[in-house]
Amino acid sequence: VGIGQDITARIAQEQEYIRLIDTANAPIFGVDSEGKVTVWNKCAADVTGYQSDDTMGHHLVSEFITEDFRASVQEVLDNALKGKETANFQFPLITKHGARVEVLLNATSRRDVEGKVVGMVGIGQDITARIAQEQEYIRLIDTANAPIFGVDTEGKVTVWNKCAANLTGYTDEDTMGHNLVQGFITEDFRSSVQEVLD
């Protein structure tokens, strides 16, 4: 005597999930409880140059992460295996050609049908170009021939370029994190400058 169950709908749903993961425009990868790659979508392949055949069954941290980030990436994986999610974790991946790609990752646990954690899946974003652009902005601000400074929402200095340092005599080390108005504006102009900042 045999008992059967129609699992056609479940198989169709699983195939749809696989298709969605593979065609997503974000790098998605997963590892099992031993840290070996079990998911590597097309975007992850495009970003790194490694095809899924190159990565499946290989240890993610020891083979694809720069040495200086292995401990922190392993910690994210370990946390996911304990059911703790991680959001906006930045780390580098090494491409097949040896280049460094910066990834912003959200990691979550993978569970089996009984709810047991069996691995981790990460959805990433290649932020290499954004970081390069931010570094270029920093360089442009720092080398501008006009004094440039910036403050955060509390009025504390966050940007102080070389021209501002040359003009005032205060270095960026002197100013960073200090209140601009209270520390670097003469008393007779403090209220008007504060009004501009508010």
Side-chain angles (χ1 to χ4, degrees):
V1 171
I3 298 175
Q5 181 179 2
D6 184 2
I7 59 170
T8 306
R10 190 181 86 203
I11 290 172
Q13 185 178 30
E14 288 173 1
Q15 289 172 338
E16 178 67 8
Y17 288 149
I18 291 168
R19 189 188 66 72
L20 287 171
I21 288 171
D22 199 46
T23 60
N25 63 354
I28 299 175
F29 57 88
V31 297
D32 62 16
S33 60
E34 295 176 1
K36 294 181 180 176
V37 177
T38 58
V39 175
W40 195 266
N41 78 341
K42 185 179 180 325
C43 189
D46 292 344
V47 167
T48 65
Y50 289 106
Q51 300 304 309
S52 62
D53 290 345
D54 299 326
T55 60
M56 292 299 199
H58 291 266
H59 197 270
L60 177 72
V61 173
S62 64
E63 295 185 47
F64 303 104
I65 305 298
T66 60
E67 193 170 333
D68 53 332
F69 273 82
R70 286 181 184 156
S72 58
V73 171
Q74 187 63 55
E75 184 179 349
V76 168
L77 297 182
D78 292 343
N79 283 338
L81 293 172
K82 295 174 187 171
K84 298 177 190 172
E85 295 185 0
T86 300
N88 298 321
F89 176 72
Q90 182 180 329
F91 71 99
L93 279 172
I94 301 302
T95 69
K96 192 170 190 173
H97 305 292
R100 181 177 169 136
V101 176
E102 297 293 331
V103 175
L104 191 64
L105 179 77
N106 290 329
T108 189
S109 306
R110 289 182 69 197
R111 298 177 185 273
D112 64 14
V113 291
E114 284 88 35
K116 178 184 170 197
V117 175
V118 295
M120 181 278 309
V121 65
I123 300 175
Q125 179 182 359
D126 180 359
I127 59 170
T128 308
R130 186 183 89 192
I131 289 173
Q133 187 176 36
E134 288 171 358
Q135 290 171 341
E136 178 64 11
Y137 288 152
I138 290 168
R139 188 190 66 73
L140 288 172
I141 288 170
D142 203 41
T143 59
N145 62 358
I148 298 175
F149 60 88
V151 296
D152 63 14
T153 57
E154 297 175 356
K156 294 180 180 177
V157 176
T158 58
V159 175
W160 193 265
N161 76 345
K162 288 179 184 175
C163 190
N166 292 338
L167 184 68
T168 64
Y170 293 110
T171 67
D172 61 343
E173 291 88 13
D174 296 331
T175 59
M176 291 298 203
H178 296 280
N179 187 283
L180 175 72
V181 172
Q182 296 304 313
F184 307 102
I185 304 298
T186 58
E187 192 170 334
D188 52 331
F189 281 93
R190 284 182 185 158
S191 63
S192 58
V193 171
Q194 187 63 54
E195 191 175 311
V196 170
L197 294 178
D198 292 339

